[in-house]
């Protein structure tokens, strides 16, 4: 998990841009996280309490996604 202070001009954390097939906005409680799947890496990005967070997964079983497990981690941090 990477945590950095929010910059003055931050991108919209709910926007996924034109790569909609590789990005999904997901509500986790009151947070909106961006889920990115770029095989073989998955990541979640969100802003909270003046910080930007990024959770990366770059190892695991071939051809398996860990989206649900990653979302549980985010939920446990709240």
């Amino acid at each position: 998990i990477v945590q950095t202070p929010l910059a003055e001009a931050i991108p919209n954390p709910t926007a996924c841009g034109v790569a909609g097939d590789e990005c999904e906005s997901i509500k986790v409680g009151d947070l909106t996280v961006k889920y990115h799947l770029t095989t073989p890496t998955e990541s979640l990005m969100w802003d909270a309490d003046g910080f930007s967070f990024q959770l990366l997964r770059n190892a695991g079983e071939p051809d398996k996604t860990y989206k649900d497990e990653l979302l549980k981690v985010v939920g446990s941090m709240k």
Side-chain angles (χ1 to χ4, degrees), residues 28-54:
V28 178
D30 58 347
L31 288 176
T32 300
V33 298
K34 289 188 296 184
Y35 170 75
H36 290 271
L37 174 60
T38 52
T39 305
T41 302
E42 292 174 273
S43 66
L44 289 175
M45 291 179 264
W46 69 99
D47 296 332
D49 302 321
F51 291 91
S52 290
F53 295 88
Q54 185 174 23

Side-chain angles (χ1 to χ4, degrees), residues 7 10-11 17 20 22 26 31 39 46 48-49 51 58 64-65 68 72 75 78:
I10 58 171
E22 296 176 355
I26 303 169
L31 288 176
T39 305
W46 69 99
D49 302 321
F51 291 91
N58 58 13
K64 178 179 177 182
T65 59
D68 292 336
K72 287 178 188 175
K78 298 176 21 151

